Structures are given as structure tokens and as C-alpha cells.
Amino acid sequence: MTTAQTKTKAQADWEPRIVAFCCNWCSYAGADLAGTSRIQYPTNARIIRVNCTGRIDAEFILSALDKGADGVLVSGCHPGDCHYTSGNLKLRARWAFMEEAVKQAGIDPRRIRLQWASASEAQIFADGVAKLIEQVREVGPIGRSWK
Ligand code: FES
């Protein structure tokens, strides 16, 4: 097998790895419900539970990408439903900065996604994971070239 064939096989075998930061009060429960409801969605996501999306900053996202995640999903309560009143609104206000920080690091911003999914919106959570996986597939493996 030649190097070109090996690369092609490696590319064919590549599966995006996603880190999903989920708010404990809504999206984490939504992800759990997706599992218990047997809703089909890509298994590529590793979920990290946070108390509120207001806790997320650019360092979390860049660190996940630096450690090998091909994409990062942030999923929290709908605006107006944050358990801590305004954490998600503060994140939403900072999201443009997150995208800019990712771009400044030389990373395609299609690797990150912000969504809102309540505890009962398992399908929305699952669809968000699938959408991010689709976006990440378009840009390919993250590699280490962005450093
Ligand atoms: Fe869910 Fe704030 S508690 S986003």
C-alpha cells in the first residue's frame, strides 16, 4: 500500500471528535433524554457537563481544540430559561468574541457551534450534534496546523 493509499484510507476512516459542553439544567438532560429515548445521533460527541453556559469562555473552546477535538458544541438553556437567570445571555453576547478568538488562532469557525436545547428537546440536541459533525466533516481533521 502506497502512502497516498494510506492517506486515503486514513481520511476515509476519519471520524470527527466533538466535545459538547452542556448546561446541567437543560441540554445535559436533553442529551440524556436523547439516549433514553433512543434517538439516533452521531456517537462522536463527548459531553462535558457545566453548571451554566455562562461559565464557558474562549479558553475552554481553544483548549478542547488544542487537545484534539475537531469541533466544539456549546449547548444550554434557551434565552430566558437560564437557571442562573442570565448566564446564557452573557455567553450569547460573548459568542462573536469566541468565534473571533477561534479565527485569530487560525481555526475555521465552522468547528464551533452554539445552540439552545431544553431538557425536553432531545431531538434538537441530537440535531445540533449532527449539524456540527456535518460542518466539521466539511473542514476535515483539525490536525496541528493551526498552532
Ligand atoms: Fe443553562 Fe445557564 S443554567 S444556560
Side-chain angles (χ1 to χ4, degrees):
M1 187 177 280
T2 67
T3 305
Q5 287 171 323
T6 304
K7 267 188 174 176
T8 303
K9 178 162 178 18
Q11 287 168 346
D13 291 345
W14 173 69
E15 277 297 321
R17 291 180 294 178
I18 301 300
V19 169
F21 291 105
C22 292
C23 145
N24 179 57
W25 304 98
C26 283
S27 293
Y28 187 80
D32 197 32
L33 182 62
T36 56
S37 303
R38 301 186 180 196
I39 292 173
Q40 296 290 318
Y41 70 97
T43 56
N44 314 43
R46 298 294 174 264
I47 295 174
I48 297 176
R49 180 166 40 177
V50 293
N51 259 353
C52 176
T53 56
R55 177 67 183 89
I56 302 297
D57 64 26
E59 192 177 335
F60 282 36
I61 292 170
L62 291 171
S63 179
L65 296 169
D66 181 43
K67 290 180 168 55
D70 296 299
V72 175
L73 174 70
V74 178
S75 189
C77 307
H78 285 275
D81 288 343
C82 177
H83 191 74
Y84 303 98
T85 310
S86 61
N88 54 1
L89 301 178
K90 289 173 181 164
L91 172 70
R92 186 173 66 181
R94 292 194 315 266
W95 192 252
F97 167 75
M98 307 280 187
E99 290 178 323
E100 192 54 39
V102 167
K103 277 190 224 168
Q104 288 293 318
I107 303 168
D108 192 309
R110 286 176 289 176
R111 293 188 185 280
I112 66 171
R113 176 177 169 81
L114 173 63
Q115 70 174 18
W116 312 124
S118 76
S120 64
E121 294 176 328
Q123 189 65 59
I124 288 175
F125 176 81
D127 291 347
V129 171
K131 177 69 181 165
L132 179 59
I133 298 280
E134 187 184 311
Q135 288 175 200
V136 168
R137 281 193 198 284
E138 286 172 19
V139 293
I142 193 159
R144 287 285 177 257
S145 59
W146 64 273
K147 283 188 166 178

